[in-house]
Amino acid sequence: MADGITNVKVGRKQAQQFQNVFSEVIPFSLTFEDDSILDGDVYSGGALVDVAGAALGDVVLVFPEIDPVECQFFAAVQAADKVEVTLHNNSGGTVTAFASGVTVNGVVLKFNNELWSDPSAW
């Protein structure tokens, strides 16, 4: 069997990953910039982004456009319409890769509440 995700037929329905789990996908983008981030630092750099429609409990995924050099980007909804993006430097040294700025793209995924209110529909 090849690696990767495949569709599997179940009865007459074709199961698809995450089908109907999310009711809305809200894209956003920001530029993250800092001259020097020390090892062990957690840095947001004021990266609180206005994302209309974002709400507490939504899932947020972020994707930097460059290799984050053993750093990790995380994001979460902090308040209605506000997403905070943070950078964790676990590289063992100071990171300067973001000095000229890096674009970070992301999505807010809103759960389909109808699906979650009726688990028998799963």
Side-chain angles (χ1 to χ4, degrees), residues 43-90:
Y43 182 76
S44 68
L48 197 60
V49 183
D50 292 327
V51 180
L56 292 172
D58 291 345
V59 175
V60 184
L61 303 173
V62 288
F63 315 93
E65 289 190 338
I66 66 168
D67 179 356
V69 194
E70 296 183 26
C71 297
Q72 294 81 37
F73 280 92
F74 296 94
V77 176
Q78 294 298 322
D81 302 326
K82 300 286 185 189
V83 172
E84 183 176 31
V85 178
T86 58
L87 171 73
H88 296 224
N89 177 5
N90 297 313

Side-chain angles (χ1 to χ4, degrees), residues 22-64:
F22 301 108
S23 61
E24 190 175 353
V25 177
I26 307 169
F28 66 92
S29 184
L30 64 107
T31 300
F32 196 93
E33 185 176 346
D34 192 273
D35 292 337
S36 179
I37 303 169
L38 300 175
D39 181 46
D41 275 2
V42 175
Y43 182 76
S44 68
L48 197 60
V49 183
D50 292 327
V51 180
L56 292 172
D58 291 345
V59 175
V60 184
L61 303 173
V62 288
F63 315 93

